[in-house]
Amino acid sequence: MKRIAVLASGNGSTLEAILMAIERGQIQNARVTLVNSDQEKAYALVRAEKYGIPWALFRKEDYPDRESYDRALLKRLQAEQIDLVVLAGFMRLVSPVLVAAFRNRMMNIHPSLLPAFPGTRGVADALAYGVKVTGCTVHFVDEGMDTGPIILQEALPVREDDTVESLTEKIHRIEHRLYPKAIDLWVRGKIKVEGRRCYLEQTETGAPERLG
Ligand code: GAR
């Protein structure tokens, strides 16, 4: 049984999609055993409570810098024997101390087709740029901002009458399907990382197959 920690700063709809996928049996042999937020008002914590998942509140104000925050969080994640860290709308850059401890064991979801429009305003930035196609990306977390190896991506067209709200809603619907799929692949040991590229391990043919 893999132990998953979900880190979330906001509403937590992504967290809930993951919890529902586990309940439905779409992700097997894994449980979310900890939810952490950096924001005490995060609705994600209410959702954790609703599902009876233990939660923690590591507030950034309580630490002098990012590294000491991450060191404290790492200690907790290790104490809880966490196998996989899932960033679900966690609006903090993760420092190398945490990245190194969870190399290829920490995922993020981002609401754009990376490497386009990284950062905290992926949807608004894509819309303002005038792209005709956008989407979302699940990737492993490395030392950069939204730069790690890409696990899954899905595109969707931008309509002329789309607003940040309408596009966000459409992207969320895709994200809520894509993230559980990526987590399931990881839990089943199906993702092989070589440099920047992620492959789905194929036992029958022996040849790795591209994901997404
Ligand atoms: C998601 O759309 C996710 O892609 C985005 O935050 C949202 C969280 O929604 N993440 C980022 O922009 C990371 N840079 P939620 O709080 O309802 O789960």
Side-chain angles (χ1 to χ4, degrees), residues 1-4 22 27-33 81-83 186-187:
M1 181 69 64
K2 298 292 184 193
R3 296 167 66 86
I4 300 174
I22 291 172
I27 301 169
Q28 292 183 356
N29 299 320
R31 291 285 171 273
V32 176
T33 53
Q81 297 180 305
I82 295 299
D83 298 296
W186 186 90
V187 168

Side-chain angles (χ1 to χ4, degrees), residues 10 102 212:
F102 284 93

Side-chain angles (χ1 to χ4, degrees), residues 141-162:
V141 176
D142 71 1
E143 285 76 4
M145 187 176 66
D146 299 327
T147 54
I150 290 171
I151 303 165
L152 292 173
Q153 276 186 315
E154 193 168 315
L156 88 159
V158 179
R159 287 170 47 117
E160 285 178 6
D161 60 352
D162 264 327

Side-chain angles (χ1 to χ4, degrees), residues 10-15 88-89 91 108-111 119-120 146 172 175:
N11 180 24
S13 70
T14 316
L15 164 68
M91 297 306 190
N108 182 40
I109 191 154
H110 183 77
T120 56
D146 299 327
H172 273 183
E175 289 185 323

Side-chain angles (χ1 to χ4, degrees), residues 1-211:
M1 181 69 64
K2 298 292 184 193
R3 296 167 66 86
I4 300 174
V6 177
L7 313 186
S9 300
N11 180 24
S13 70
T14 316
L15 164 68
E16 184 139 7
I18 295 164
L19 294 173
M20 283 167 62
I22 291 172
E23 274 196 0
R24 283 197 302 268
Q26 193 191 336
I27 301 169
Q28 292 183 356
N29 299 320
R31 291 285 171 273
V32 176
T33 53
L34 181 69
V35 171
N36 172 58
S37 185
D38 57 334
Q39 304 288 332
E40 54 189 303
K41 295 222 164 73
Y43 193 66
L45 295 178
V46 176
R47 297 192 204 250
E49 187 78 38
K50 185 174 99 181
Y51 280 80
I53 314 277
W55 54 267
L57 178 65
F58 281 72
R59 302 185 316 161
K60 71 167 189 278
E61 307 85 87
D62 297 339
Y63 299 88
D65 50 38
R66 195 189 309 281
E67 224 180 276
S68 43
Y69 180 101
D70 280 4
R71 241 189 275 281
L73 180 57
L74 175 59
K75 228 170 134 181
R76 177 68 182 267
L77 296 171
Q78 287 170 334
E80 305 265 353
Q81 297 180 305
I82 295 299
D83 298 296
L84 177 69
V85 178
V86 169
L87 309 190
F90 192 57
M91 297 306 190
R92 280 176 69 79
L93 199 58
V94 176
S95 62
V97 58
L98 205 52
V99 174
F102 284 93
R103 175 90 51 203
N104 297 339
R105 296 196 297 139
M106 178 158 38
M107 288 180 186
N108 182 40
I109 191 154
H110 183 77
S112 75
L113 292 176
L114 291 171
F117 312 115
T120 56
R121 295 169 27 94
V123 179
D125 289 349
L127 195 65
Y129 196 90
V131 294
K132 302 295 186 195
V133 175
T134 187
C136 60
T137 304
V138 181
H139 64 93
F140 285 117
V141 176
D142 71 1
E143 285 76 4
M145 187 176 66
D146 299 327
T147 54
I150 290 171
I151 303 165
L152 292 173
Q153 276 186 315
E154 193 168 315
L156 88 159
V158 179
R159 287 170 47 117
E160 285 178 6
D161 60 352
D162 264 327
T163 59
V164 173
E165 291 71 34
S166 69
L167 203 51
T168 299
E169 197 194 313
K170 283 186 269 186
I171 289 176
H172 273 183
R173 254 181 265 141
I174 300 174
E175 289 185 323
H176 294 170
R177 178 164 47 73
L178 211 62
Y179 219 179
K181 187 174 166 188
I183 293 168
D184 173 59
L185 285 169
W186 186 90
V187 168
R188 290 192 291 122
K190 291 289 184 189
I191 306 172
K192 186 172 166 209
V193 188
E194 271 176 23
R196 283 210 49 83
R197 301 178 72 174
C198 291
Y199 298 91
L200 172 61
E201 289 197 48
Q202 280 282 45
T203 43
E204 299 93 78
T205 63
E209 184 186 288
R210 281 309 301 281
L211 282 175

